[in-house]
Amino acid sequence: MAHAPAPRPPDTVRLVVDDVSGLARLVADAARRARESDRALELVEPAVPACDHAARARAIRRMDEALDVARRAAPGVQVRVGSPIELPAPRHPS
């Protein structure tokens, strides 16, 4: 008996939760955009070395705050936490 493939999860609205000005506003906007387009919100954080405990603690606090903002801004929207990602190094003018 053939089984139907599992349904593909819906595309997500993805946001990097980084130390930027106005993060709460960005998260709220992304959450509302996800709700309006019937998609999930995926929050990801920049990769932080495991040995950098202070940076890891800051990243965890930012993610906690982002999750709280997303839930308040768009009740009922599915919020996922994605795997940490490597961000490119900032470019500095020569």
XYZ file of all heavy atoms in Angstrom:
704
model
N 0.843 -1.177 0.000
C 0.000 0.000 0.000
C 0.894 1.247 0.000
O 1.766 1.404 0.833
C -0.898 -0.042 1.239
C -1.780 1.129 1.385
S -2.849 0.821 2.823
C -3.922 2.169 2.644
N 0.682 2.122 -0.929
C 1.486 3.330 -1.040
C 0.998 4.377 -0.035
O -0.190 4.530 0.196
C 1.397 3.887 -2.451
N 1.945 5.039 0.552
C 1.621 6.102 1.504
C 1.861 7.452 0.841
O 2.818 7.624 0.091
C 2.491 5.995 2.758
C 2.222 4.764 3.555
N 1.164 4.658 4.403
C 2.878 3.584 3.611
C 1.174 3.465 4.958
N 2.218 2.786 4.499
N 1.017 8.358 1.136
C 1.195 9.720 0.614
C 2.364 10.365 1.356
O 2.558 10.124 2.542
C -0.074 10.529 0.819
N 3.146 11.159 0.655
C 4.250 11.836 1.348
C 3.697 12.808 2.387
O 2.592 13.319 2.260
C 4.986 12.575 0.235
C 4.012 12.668 -0.891
C 3.058 11.514 -0.750
N 4.495 13.015 3.408
C 4.090 13.954 4.453
C 3.940 15.335 3.843
O 4.700 15.716 2.942
C 5.135 13.991 5.557
N 2.934 16.086 4.290
C 2.774 17.433 3.727
C 3.990 18.286 4.036
O 4.576 18.199 5.112
C 1.521 17.970 4.420
C 1.334 17.118 5.617
C 1.976 15.799 5.334
N 4.370 19.075 3.073
C 5.512 19.975 3.235
C 5.115 21.096 4.183
O 4.030 21.671 4.050
C 5.884 20.554 1.869
C 7.094 21.430 1.890
C 7.477 21.807 0.461
N 8.498 22.811 0.506
C 8.284 24.114 0.330
N 7.090 24.540 0.043
N 9.272 24.973 0.404
N 5.978 21.389 5.162
C 5.626 22.494 6.051
C 5.530 23.794 5.259
O 6.234 23.973 4.265
C 6.777 22.550 7.056
C 7.862 21.723 6.489
C 7.270 20.822 5.444
N 4.652 24.684 5.684
C 4.501 25.941 4.944
C 5.784 26.766 5.009
O 6.583 26.624 5.928
C 3.358 26.645 5.674
C 3.324 26.031 7.025
C 3.823 24.623 6.869
N 5.978 27.566 3.989
C 7.110 28.487 4.014
C 6.993 29.354 5.254
O 5.906 29.582 5.770
C 7.116 29.367 2.763
C 7.449 28.571 1.515
O 8.120 27.528 1.641
O 7.032 28.981 0.426
N 8.111 29.840 5.688
C 8.109 30.648 6.903
C 8.551 32.070 6.611
O 9.189 32.344 5.606
C 9.066 30.056 7.954
O 10.391 30.029 7.417
C 8.660 28.657 8.356
N 8.193 32.936 7.511
C 8.770 34.272 7.547
C 9.949 34.133 8.498
O 9.789 33.762 9.653
C 7.754 35.310 8.078
C 8.422 36.660 8.268
C 6.574 35.416 7.140
N 11.146 34.362 8.000
C 12.363 34.105 8.780
C 12.988 35.423 9.223
O 13.106 36.357 8.432
C 13.343 33.322 7.921
C 14.511 32.777 8.665
C 15.313 31.902 7.732
N 16.149 31.004 8.483
C 17.264 30.502 8.023
N 17.677 30.782 6.809
N 17.982 29.703 8.774
N 13.401 35.459 10.485
C 14.023 36.661 11.035
C 15.222 36.264 11.879
O 15.129 35.359 12.714
C 13.017 37.429 11.900
C 13.529 38.723 12.511
C 13.686 39.800 11.441
C 12.604 39.200 13.595
N 16.340 36.933 11.660
C 17.532 36.711 12.471
C 17.421 37.582 13.715
O 17.252 38.800 13.625
C 18.822 37.050 11.682
C 20.049 36.887 12.573
C 18.933 36.175 10.451
N 17.494 36.939 14.867
C 17.388 37.629 16.148
C 18.804 38.016 16.565
O 19.528 37.231 17.169
C 16.703 36.736 17.205
C 16.646 37.443 18.542
C 15.314 36.340 16.740
N 19.195 39.223 16.213
C 20.543 39.701 16.503
C 20.450 40.977 17.325
O 19.372 41.537 17.509
C 21.286 39.956 15.190
C 22.796 39.941 15.343
O 23.287 39.760 16.481
O 23.495 40.102 14.330
N 21.574 41.439 17.805
C 21.625 42.631 18.638
C 21.552 43.871 17.743
O 22.567 44.440 17.366
C 22.917 42.627 19.453
C 22.954 43.738 20.493
O 21.885 44.319 20.771
O 24.038 44.023 21.013
N 20.328 44.244 17.376
C 20.125 45.401 16.522
C 19.107 46.335 17.160
O 18.243 45.914 17.926
C 19.632 45.007 15.107
C 20.685 44.213 14.369
C 18.338 44.249 15.160
N 19.204 47.578 16.821
C 18.250 48.573 17.295
C 16.877 48.271 16.713
O 16.755 47.955 15.537
C 18.742 49.956 16.855
O 17.736 50.896 16.952
N 15.850 48.342 17.534
C 14.492 48.139 17.050
C 14.122 46.684 16.834
O 13.205 46.388 16.064
N 14.802 45.756 17.518
C 14.528 44.337 17.314
C 13.072 43.994 17.626
O 12.438 43.252 16.882
C 15.470 43.475 18.162
C 15.266 41.970 18.049
C 15.513 41.495 16.614
C 16.170 41.230 19.014
N 12.519 44.550 18.691
C 11.131 44.248 19.063
C 10.172 44.632 17.932
O 9.256 43.875 17.604
C 10.749 44.956 20.353
N 10.394 45.783 17.323
C 9.543 46.222 16.212
C 9.689 45.287 15.021
O 8.699 44.909 14.383
C 9.890 47.652 15.804
C 9.048 48.189 14.669
C 9.474 49.589 14.243
N 10.915 49.778 14.105
C 11.643 49.360 13.060
N 11.071 48.723 12.063
N 12.941 49.582 13.011
N 10.922 44.873 14.724
C 11.154 43.950 13.612
C 10.465 42.611 13.843
O 9.858 42.042 12.936
C 12.662 43.737 13.407
C 13.462 44.957 12.946
C 14.956 44.649 12.995
C 13.041 45.355 11.546
N 10.540 42.110 15.081
C 9.908 40.836 15.412
C 8.392 40.963 15.297
O 7.720 40.097 14.717
C 10.318 40.361 16.820
C 9.487 39.166 17.260
C 11.797 40.026 16.868
N 7.830 42.043 15.842
C 6.377 42.244 15.783
C 5.907 42.342 14.334
O 4.891 41.728 13.964
C 5.990 43.501 16.558
N 6.629 43.081 13.508
C 6.260 43.200 12.086
C 6.318 41.844 11.389
O 5.426 41.499 10.614
C 7.186 44.190 11.365
C 6.967 45.630 11.786
O 5.957 45.915 12.460
O 7.831 46.467 11.451
N 7.370 41.072 11.647
C 7.505 39.754 11.024
C 6.394 38.814 11.490
O 5.851 38.042 10.687
C 8.880 39.159 11.337
N 6.043 38.877 12.765
C 4.973 38.017 13.290
C 3.632 38.360 12.640
O 2.878 37.468 12.249
C 4.893 38.155 14.809
N 3.356 39.636 12.513
C 2.100 40.043 11.869
C 2.092 39.642 10.394
O 1.084 39.170 9.866
C 1.874 41.536 12.034
C 1.404 41.915 13.441
C 0.965 43.355 13.522
N 2.087 44.274 13.493
C 2.745 44.682 14.579
N 2.399 44.259 15.762
N 3.737 45.529 14.459
N 3.241 39.794 9.726
C 3.340 39.402 8.311
C 3.112 37.887 8.172
O 2.426 37.445 7.244
C 4.719 39.797 7.768
C 4.822 39.820 6.299
C 6.078 40.518 5.782
N 7.321 40.018 6.350
C 8.091 40.682 7.213
N 7.751 41.891 7.623
N 9.206 40.164 7.664
N 3.641 37.108 9.095
C 3.444 35.658 9.061
C 1.968 35.314 9.256
O 1.416 34.469 8.541
C 4.294 34.983 10.144
N 1.326 35.977 10.204
C -0.095 35.703 10.458
C -0.938 36.085 9.248
O -1.810 35.327 8.825
C -0.570 36.466 11.696
C -2.023 36.144 12.053
C -2.510 36.921 13.226
N -2.378 38.351 12.953
C -2.312 39.280 13.887
N -2.363 38.963 15.149
N -2.202 40.551 13.555
N -0.660 37.245 8.653
C -1.443 37.717 7.508
C -1.279 36.830 6.279
O -2.185 36.726 5.471
C -1.053 39.157 7.171
C -1.496 40.145 8.234
C -0.810 41.505 8.118
O 0.023 41.693 7.201
O -1.087 42.361 8.978
N -0.121 36.194 6.147
C 0.130 35.343 4.978
C -0.047 33.856 5.306
O 0.295 32.999 4.489
C 1.536 35.602 4.424
O 2.506 35.279 5.403
N -0.564 33.570 6.493
C -0.830 32.200 6.925
C 0.424 31.337 6.868
O 0.418 30.218 6.357
C -1.961 31.576 6.089
C -2.549 30.351 6.772
O -2.523 30.295 8.019
O -3.010 29.447 6.060
N 1.515 31.895 7.365
C 2.783 31.169 7.429
C 3.277 31.172 8.868
O 2.788 31.917 9.709
C 3.835 31.817 6.525
C 3.462 31.757 5.069
C 4.565 32.277 4.181
N 4.688 33.726 4.314
C 5.681 34.447 3.797
N 6.650 33.856 3.140
N 5.719 35.745 3.945
N 4.260 30.346 9.139
C 4.894 30.314 10.455
C 5.989 31.376 10.501
O 6.511 31.807 9.474
C 5.494 28.945 10.729
N 6.323 31.784 11.704
C 7.451 32.694 11.924
C 8.611 31.851 12.414
O 8.463 31.071 13.356
C 7.095 33.748 12.982
C 8.239 34.647 13.446
C 8.768 35.505 12.294
C 7.777 35.528 14.593
N 9.752 31.968 11.752
C 10.956 31.256 12.183
C 11.962 32.276 12.691
O 12.370 33.170 11.957
C 11.564 30.446 11.039
C 12.786 29.666 11.469
C 13.401 28.859 10.344
O 13.135 29.162 9.170
O 14.157 27.933 10.655
N 12.336 32.121 13.941
C 13.340 32.983 14.540
C 14.650 32.210 14.606
O 14.690 31.084 15.102
C 12.910 33.404 15.950
C 11.597 34.170 16.040
C 11.218 34.386 17.499
C 11.695 35.499 15.312
N 15.705 32.794 14.092
C 17.028 32.171 14.148
C 17.998 33.156 14.759
O 17.797 34.370 14.709
C 17.523 31.720 12.745
C 16.640 30.656 12.167
C 17.621 32.887 11.798
N 19.026 32.623 15.371
C 20.027 33.491 15.984
C 21.378 33.247 15.335
O 21.616 32.162 14.794
C 20.098 33.261 17.482
C 20.465 31.854 17.873
C 20.291 31.583 19.358
O 19.658 32.367 20.065
O 20.803 30.551 19.797
N 22.236 34.242 15.389
C 23.591 34.038 14.862
C 24.310 32.996 15.710
O 24.087 32.895 16.914
C 24.267 35.399 15.012
C 23.191 36.368 15.339
C 22.039 35.599 15.881
N 25.162 32.212 15.075
C 25.946 31.216 15.803
C 26.908 31.936 16.751
O 27.515 32.947 16.400
C 26.714 30.339 14.829
N 27.001 31.418 17.969
C 27.885 31.974 18.987
C 28.744 30.817 19.498
O 28.217 29.735 19.766
C 27.066 32.574 20.161
C 27.965 33.057 21.272
C 26.181 33.692 19.664
N 30.043 31.026 19.637
C 30.888 29.941 20.149
C 30.392 29.472 21.527
O 30.049 30.284 22.384
C 32.277 30.576 20.272
C 32.233 31.775 19.381
C 30.811 32.235 19.348
N 30.353 28.169 21.709
C 29.863 27.606 22.974
C 30.694 28.066 24.164
O 30.176 28.171 25.281
C 29.860 26.082 22.890
N 31.952 28.373 23.944
C 32.821 28.780 25.054
C 32.611 30.250 25.449
O 33.089 30.672 26.496
C 34.280 28.525 24.712
S 34.851 29.450 23.271
N 31.902 31.017 24.633
C 31.641 32.428 24.949
C 30.320 32.511 25.728
O 29.262 32.788 25.181
C 31.572 33.257 23.669
C 31.550 34.756 23.929
O 31.291 35.159 25.096
O 31.786 35.516 22.980
N 30.418 32.268 27.026
C 29.223 32.163 27.865
C 28.439 33.472 27.943
O 27.205 33.456 27.954
C 29.600 31.676 29.264
C 30.271 30.341 29.242
N 29.633 29.190 28.845
C 31.546 29.984 29.523
C 30.474 28.173 28.902
N 31.641 28.627 29.309
N 29.128 34.582 27.977
C 28.436 35.873 28.063
C 27.648 36.140 26.781
O 26.484 36.563 26.831
C 29.441 36.993 28.318
N 28.252 35.891 25.632
C 27.557 36.096 24.350
C 26.382 35.127 24.222
O 25.317 35.486 23.723
C 28.523 35.919 23.183
N 26.580 33.902 24.683
C 25.505 32.903 24.622
C 24.328 33.344 25.496
O 23.173 33.233 25.107
C 26.057 31.551 25.090
C 25.126 30.426 24.908
C 25.085 29.971 23.442
N 23.800 29.359 23.233
C 22.881 29.782 22.392
N 23.116 30.797 21.588
N 21.724 29.205 22.280
N 24.624 33.869 26.679
C 23.567 34.342 27.581
C 22.802 35.505 26.948
O 21.570 35.566 27.031
C 24.162 34.759 28.922
N 23.526 36.428 26.300
C 22.854 37.552 25.623
C 21.956 37.050 24.502
O 20.834 37.525 24.334
C 23.884 38.547 25.091
C 24.545 39.383 26.166
C 25.386 40.513 25.581
N 26.422 40.059 24.680
C 27.649 39.673 25.041
N 27.992 39.689 26.326
N 28.532 39.297 24.146
N 22.444 36.065 23.740
C 21.651 35.512 22.630
C 20.385 34.834 23.164
O 19.302 34.977 22.581
C 22.490 34.525 21.820
N 20.501 34.137 24.260
C 19.336 33.462 24.859
C 18.320 34.498 25.338
O 17.116 34.341 25.113
C 19.776 32.528 26.003
C 20.531 31.318 25.427
C 18.583 32.083 26.843
C 21.240 30.488 26.466
N 18.794 35.570 25.977
C 17.871 36.625 26.433
C 17.174 37.290 25.256
O 15.967 37.549 25.298
C 18.621 37.662 27.277
C 18.839 37.234 28.714
C 19.282 38.387 29.589
N 20.573 38.938 29.192
C 21.755 38.454 29.565
N 21.821 37.397 30.329
N 22.868 39.031 29.174
N 17.922 37.567 24.176
C 17.301 38.175 22.984
C 16.243 37.254 22.392
O 15.171 37.714 21.995
C 18.361 38.487 21.918
C 19.105 39.768 22.146
C 19.893 40.184 20.920
N 20.803 39.169 20.428
C 22.066 39.027 20.809
N 22.577 39.848 21.709
N 22.822 38.079 20.295
N 16.537 35.953 22.322
C 15.569 35.016 21.763
C 14.329 34.941 22.657
O 13.202 34.922 22.148
C 16.190 33.626 21.598
C 15.253 32.628 20.950
S 14.704 33.066 19.266
C 16.164 32.677 18.321
N 14.509 34.917 23.969
C 13.360 34.909 24.889
C 12.482 36.137 24.672
O 11.254 36.040 24.618
C 13.818 34.855 26.344
C 14.320 33.486 26.766
O 14.079 32.509 26.035
O 14.966 33.406 27.832
N 13.122 37.290 24.544
C 12.373 38.535 24.311
C 11.666 38.497 22.964
O 10.506 38.911 22.845
C 13.316 39.735 24.385
C 13.847 39.992 25.786
C 14.974 41.023 25.816
O 15.214 41.699 24.787
O 15.611 41.145 26.872
N 12.346 37.980 21.942
C 11.746 37.906 20.607
C 10.535 36.969 20.609
O 9.506 37.285 20.007
C 12.779 37.432 19.580
N 10.638 35.845 21.301
C 9.504 34.921 21.388
C 8.320 35.585 22.077
O 7.171 35.455 21.634
C 9.908 33.654 22.137
C 10.824 32.706 21.362
C 11.451 31.684 22.307
C 10.061 32.024 20.255
N 8.586 36.322 23.144
C 7.519 37.012 23.870
C 6.845 38.055 22.979
O 5.618 38.129 22.908
C 8.084 37.655 25.132
C 7.011 38.318 25.966
O 6.008 37.647 26.304
O 7.167 39.521 26.271
N 7.645 38.851 22.271
C 7.097 39.882 21.382
C 6.262 39.238 20.278
O 5.159 39.698 19.974
C 8.233 40.745 20.775
C 7.720 41.624 19.645
C 8.882 41.593 21.854
N 6.763 38.162 19.686
C 6.040 37.505 18.589
C 4.694 36.979 19.061
O 3.682 37.135 18.376
C 6.887 36.370 18.016
N 4.669 36.373 20.233
C 3.412 35.814 20.746
C 2.393 36.902 21.057
O 1.198 36.717 20.862
C 3.694 34.968 21.982
C 4.413 33.686 21.633
C 4.672 32.848 22.865
N 5.409 31.649 22.513
C 6.533 31.275 23.095
N 7.042 31.983 24.083
N 7.132 30.171 22.710
N 2.876 38.047 21.554
C 1.954 39.150 21.863
C 1.490 39.860 20.598
O 0.344 40.285 20.503
C 2.609 40.148 22.823
C 2.645 39.643 24.257
C 3.157 40.669 25.255
N 4.619 40.800 25.147
C 5.251 41.903 24.745
N 4.576 42.987 24.437
N 6.561 41.934 24.666
N 2.378 39.997 19.610
C 2.053 40.750 18.394
C 1.102 39.990 17.484
O 0.294 40.615 16.781
C 3.334 41.095 17.629
N 1.201 38.676 17.468
C 0.383 37.882 16.548
C -0.055 36.593 17.243
O 0.485 35.522 16.963
C 1.166 37.583 15.279
N -1.019 36.701 18.158
C -1.476 35.495 18.856
C -1.942 34.433 17.854
O -2.586 34.747 16.863
C -2.651 35.989 19.705
C -2.477 37.463 19.795
C -1.760 37.885 18.546
N -1.555 33.208 18.104
C -1.976 32.106 17.250
C -1.021 31.775 16.127
O -1.127 30.713 15.527
N -0.086 32.668 15.826
C 0.863 32.361 14.757
C 1.844 31.310 15.278
O 2.234 31.327 16.436
C 1.606 33.625 14.261
C 2.648 34.111 15.251
C 2.261 33.380 12.926
N 2.179 30.364 14.410
C 3.146 29.342 14.787
C 4.535 29.963 14.789
O 4.948 30.583 13.806
C 3.103 28.165 13.817
C 4.044 27.059 14.186
C 4.028 25.913 13.188
O 3.525 26.039 12.080
N 4.589 24.801 13.573
N 5.248 29.817 15.900
C 6.600 30.371 16.017
C 7.569 29.206 16.158
O 7.394 28.340 17.016
C 6.725 31.321 17.231
C 8.136 31.875 17.321
C 5.709 32.447 17.138
N 8.557 29.183 15.301
C 9.594 28.152 15.340
C 10.927 28.804 15.650
O 11.161 29.951 15.290
C 9.707 27.455 13.988
C 8.437 26.806 13.529
C 8.623 26.234 12.150
N 7.346 25.761 11.633
C 7.135 25.481 10.367
N 8.095 25.620 9.482
N 5.957 25.055 9.975
N 11.792 28.045 16.282
C 13.161 28.502 16.526
C 14.054 27.650 15.648
O 14.112 26.430 15.794
C 13.552 28.377 18.010
C 15.004 28.779 18.215
C 12.629 29.238 18.872
N 14.719 28.312 14.714
C 15.594 27.604 13.785
C 16.997 27.440 14.333
O 17.357 28.007 15.373
N 17.779 26.666 13.642
C 19.174 26.432 14.036
C 19.975 27.720 13.888
O 19.721 28.511 12.975
C 19.796 25.363 13.147
O 19.087 24.164 13.265
N 20.944 27.912 14.771
C 21.807 29.097 14.631
C 22.496 29.109 13.274
O 22.804 28.057 12.714
C 22.833 28.932 15.759
C 22.156 28.044 16.753
C 21.290 27.117 15.944
N 22.694 30.302 12.754
C 23.320 30.448 11.441
C 24.585 31.282 11.547
O 24.730 32.111 12.440
C 22.355 31.092 10.417
C 21.941 32.488 10.884
C 21.155 30.214 10.174
C 21.165 33.274 9.844
N 25.492 31.033 10.643
C 26.719 31.834 10.542
C 26.399 33.063 9.708
O 25.897 32.953 8.599
C 27.834 31.038 9.873
C 28.345 29.871 10.678
C 29.143 30.298 11.903
O 29.709 31.400 11.909
O 29.163 29.511 12.868
N 26.663 34.214 10.268
C 26.459 35.460 9.529
C 27.781 35.870 8.881
O 28.850 35.638 9.456
C 25.982 36.559 10.462
C 24.599 36.362 11.076
C 24.296 37.498 12.033
C 23.544 36.282 10.003
N 27.709 36.481 7.722
C 28.956 36.952 7.112
C 29.578 38.053 7.954
O 28.883 38.784 8.656
C 28.491 37.500 5.751
C 27.031 37.673 5.845
C 26.539 36.784 6.944
N 30.873 38.124 7.873
C 31.587 39.172 8.615
C 31.222 40.534 8.037
O 31.027 40.668 6.821
C 33.092 38.958 8.516
N 31.091 41.543 8.896
C 30.759 42.880 8.374
C 31.854 43.394 7.455
O 33.028 43.141 7.674
C 30.629 43.751 9.621
C 30.972 42.912 10.783
C 31.254 41.519 10.318
N 31.448 44.100 6.455
C 32.410 44.706 5.531
C 32.801 46.070 6.070
O 31.963 46.842 6.495
C 31.807 44.866 4.145
C 31.513 43.564 3.480
C 30.987 43.831 2.098
N 30.558 42.586 1.489
C 30.011 42.501 0.324
N 29.792 43.587 -0.378
N 29.667 41.333 -0.163
N 34.064 46.340 6.006
C 34.562 47.645 6.428
C 35.165 48.337 5.223
O 35.930 47.736 4.461
C 35.617 47.500 7.525
C 35.090 46.880 8.772
N 34.261 47.560 9.630
C 35.235 45.643 9.295
C 33.937 46.771 10.635
N 34.507 45.601 10.460
N 34.826 49.601 5.021
C 35.406 50.310 3.879
C 36.929 50.385 4.019
O 37.453 50.528 5.101
C 34.799 51.694 3.933
C 33.946 51.758 5.156
C 33.960 50.422 5.814
N 37.608 50.256 2.896
C 39.084 50.301 2.908
C 39.592 51.690 3.091
O 39.076 52.661 2.698
C 39.635 49.765 1.606
O 39.167 48.466 1.410
